[in-house]
Amino acid sequence: MLVLPDRDAAEEIAAELELRLGLPEEPRPLREALAGEDDAEDAQWLIVLDDARSTYDPAMLDALAAEYDGWLERP
């Protein structure tokens, strides 16, 4: 799961991931409010990738997210 600070960044990365990873469709960014925050402005944007076979390079994903002030969150 990639965690990003805003919708624009999430949408740009989703398009980039579709191309880089050869996904059948662009992943949809999801909005997630920060725990304990009431302000709608304090929300993170998530891109959840199904990688059950661990085929995606975590270093590449983390570096891509970092370009947009985000990070890779691992379970």
Side-chain angles (χ1 to χ4, degrees), residues 4-71:
L4 301 149
D6 60 58
R7 183 179 185 166
D8 290 338
E11 289 176 348
E12 286 181 37
I13 287 182
E16 182 71 24
L17 287 172
E18 180 183 19
L19 296 174
R20 284 192 191 192
L21 302 177
L23 301 175
E25 63 184 28
E26 187 175 301
R28 289 191 172 154
L30 305 170
R31 189 168 185 208
E32 180 69 31
L34 296 172
E37 294 292 337
D38 295 327
D39 189 356
E41 296 284 324
D42 292 326
Q44 298 170 323
W45 287 84
L46 310 176
I47 297 177
V48 179
L49 296 172
D50 181 17
D51 190 21
R53 291 182 271 158
S54 299
T55 56
Y56 304 143
D57 178 10
M60 181 276 295
L61 294 173
D62 194 40
L64 181 61
E67 289 178 27
Y68 293 86
D69 296 323
W71 65 90

